[in-house]
Amino acid sequence: AQSVTQLGSHVSVSEGALVLLRCNYSSSVPPYLFWYVQYPNQGLQLLLKYTTGATLVKGINGFEAEFKKSETSFHLTKPSAHMSDAAEYFCAVSDSGGNNRLAFGKGNQVVVIP
Amino acid sequence: GAGVSQTPSNKVTEKGKYVELRCDPISGHTALYWYRQSLGQGPEFLIYFQGTGAADDSGLPNDRFFAVRPEGSVSTLKIQRTERGDSAVYLCASSSARPDTQYFGPGTRLTVL
């Protein structure tokens, strides 16, 4: 079974500073990895995903993430935080072997300080 | 185009009652998923449909929970004899193919008093 660990439920970042959200996964088969963002009173929206190929993936709103198999990680970054980045972010994993279910981490609530 | 829609957006019920939650997936999406999100937690998988059949229902917590998708489009999650611990946001998602993106609806917030 797959699982995801996201440490630090609340993350504060200054406007203009680097955003770094850590995600480590566990999977017995090659994983598919996702980052979703959830704004207040809205549904989950995909930021980016890794399935195969290039390990550095770029998503919407200037976010990117790098799949590192040796570290079982898929950390999310954005060079310069904007006030509109305040939201909850979830890392998720599914396996490439046939099971479609997503296993989510507990999420990171990002607060952007002006 | 229209996204995934869920009705009702909020449902308040009393312990022991029966509830139905509805999901309308994106048109043409063959795969449909239900998740449950408790306060302060990430979504947890409940059940996955491919077409009309439940391909994986291993996430349903017990036999009070049941879901159907009779025509391969709209799905209904049914909860019998609701308990206070069932209070959560129930999320529905759909996708067109693996490993395609799962598109989520806004959720139904269920409160069991």
Side-chain angles (χ1 to χ4, degrees), chain B residues 56-87:
Chain B
D56 182 356
D57 65 356
S58 61
L60 295 177
N62 51 60
D63 62 5
R64 294 187 298 105
F65 288 75
F66 189 72
V68 295
R69 195 186 185 200
E71 298 179 355
S73 178
V74 170
S75 176
T76 304
L77 178 66
K78 308 181 181 192
I79 311 174
Q80 298 178 320
R81 305 183 303 280
T82 52
E83 300 177 356
R84 293 193 179 89
D86 298 335
S87 296

Side-chain angles (χ1 to χ4, degrees), chain A residues 85-96:
Chain A
D85 295 326
E88 189 150 24
Y89 294 79
F90 293 95
C91 182
V93 62
S94 68
D95 77 61
S96 57

